[in-house]
């Protein structure tokens, strides 16, 4: 697949996160990644919801009407809302990629949901591509099928699992000849913990 990186992304790190299937923790991992970029690396960070899940609308509602005191800053219809210094774009399209650059973002995390033929071109335009799967028995086959196609993909595609036994992860690494990072369990995706700092510190700098 040809390199389609654009010059406008040279000063904006673009991390695309997609799943080998539904319900493997893509949105949760996207928020964890953004929290680390913003809270630890001190980068002006945006998260884009480029899928139909509607999770960001629910997130905005929780922070606006929930018991927590922190409230999002709403710039207007179709504009991002802000939580803990991170900017969130609901139902983002290509135009929002450029909006992030215009707003001076330094890092952009894109939540693609499940990887499909419809979104894989946009996914591979990202400067870094994180594929999330599950090592649980009923989901491992989907992850293995996608990961086995790595020769067709960019060299910088990186692999993660959110669920499953450690032994299954090791077997998948050996069988697929890839490095798989195990995402730490964390209830609050927007909270940076010591474990998450150790985890992300190994590959995000």
């Amino acid at each position: 697949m040809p390199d389609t990186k654009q010059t406008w992304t040279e000063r904006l790190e673009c991390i695309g996160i997609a799943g080998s299937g539904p319900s493997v923790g893509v949105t949760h991992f996207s928020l964890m990644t953004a929290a680390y970029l913003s809270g630890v690396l001190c980068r002006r960070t945006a998260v884009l919801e480029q899928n139909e899940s509607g999770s960001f609308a629910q997130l905005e509602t929780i922070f606006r009407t929930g018991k927590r005191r922190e409230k999002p800053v709403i710039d207007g219809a179709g504009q991002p809302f802000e939580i803990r210094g991170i900017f969130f774009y609901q139902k983002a399209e290509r135009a929002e990629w450029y909006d992030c650059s215009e707003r001076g973002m330094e890092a952009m995390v894109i939540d693609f949901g499940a990887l499909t033929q419809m979104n894989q071109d946009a996914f591979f335009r990202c400067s870094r591509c994180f594929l999330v799967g599950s090592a649980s028995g009923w989901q491992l086959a989907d992850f293995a099928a996608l990961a086995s196609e790595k020769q067709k993909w960019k060299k910088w595609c990186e692999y993660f699992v959110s669920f499953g036994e450690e032994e299954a992860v090791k077997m998948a690494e050996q069988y697929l000849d890839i490095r798989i990072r195990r995402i730490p369990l964390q209830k609050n995706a927007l909270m940076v913990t010591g474990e998450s700092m150790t985890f992300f510190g190994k590959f995000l700098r």
Side-chain angles (χ1 to χ4, degrees):
M1 187 174 292
D3 184 354
T4 55
K5 287 187 294 185
Q6 304 294 320
T7 57
W8 67 273
T9 62
E10 291 179 357
R11 59 186 174 86
L12 172 62
E13 183 171 28
C14 176
I15 299 175
I17 302 180
S20 58
S23 303
V24 295
V26 172
T27 297
H28 195 82
F29 185 46
S30 297
L31 300 187
M32 288 177 64
T33 303
Y36 180 82
L37 290 168
S38 176
V40 178
L41 299 185
C42 299
R43 296 182 185 172
R44 186 172 169 84
T45 303
V47 191
L48 282 65
E49 178 186 49
Q50 200 155 330
N51 60 72
E52 299 299 322
S53 69
S55 297
F56 283 18
Q58 297 175 23
L59 183 66
E60 181 185 3
T61 300
I62 290 172
F63 275 83
R64 182 191 292 177
T65 62
K67 295 181 179 179
R68 309 179 193 185
R69 293 182 179 178
E70 186 173 7
K71 295 182 179 180
V73 177
I74 308 298
D75 294 331
Q79 298 299 308
F81 61 92
E82 181 184 352
I83 299 174
R84 298 182 182 177
I86 303 170
F87 294 84
F88 292 80
Y89 288 82
Q90 300 179 40
K91 299 185 180 301
E93 300 292 343
R94 184 67 174 172
E96 279 69 35
W97 293 34
Y98 293 97
D99 188 64
C100 287
S101 180
E102 291 291 327
R103 289 175 179 269
M105 298 297 170
E106 297 169 298
M108 181 171 69
V109 179
I110 305 178
D111 175 359
F112 284 98
L115 186 65
T116 66
Q117 290 185 344
M118 294 288 291
N119 63 19
Q120 68 176 10
D121 286 344
F123 175 65
F124 287 119
R125 275 196 288 269
C126 299
S127 52
R128 295 182 73 173
C129 305
F130 294 175
L131 180 66
V132 180
S134 170
S136 297
W138 64 93
Q139 294 174 313
L140 181 58
D142 291 337
F143 181 62
L146 282 176
S148 65
E149 298 180 6
K150 68 181 187 305
Q151 296 302 327
K152 302 177 184 178
W153 296 353
K154 293 182 177 180
K155 295 178 181 179
W156 54 85
C157 195
E158 300 163 64
Y159 304 89
F160 301 82
V161 293
S162 50
F163 311 107
E165 297 292 335
E166 186 66 32
E167 188 62 29
V169 175
K170 292 180 179 179
M171 289 179 62
E173 286 184 316
Q174 293 177 357
Y175 175 73
L176 298 169
D177 190 27
I178 58 175
R179 165 80 180 276
I180 302 175
R181 293 187 172 94
R182 190 180 181 87
I183 302 169
L185 294 176
Q186 188 170 309
K187 290 184 178 180
N188 187 344
L190 291 175
M191 180 180 293
V192 178
T193 66
E195 186 178 10
S196 66
M197 288 179 64
T198 299
F199 171 74
F200 284 110
K202 295 177 180 177
F203 58 94
L204 288 180
R205 296 178 175 83

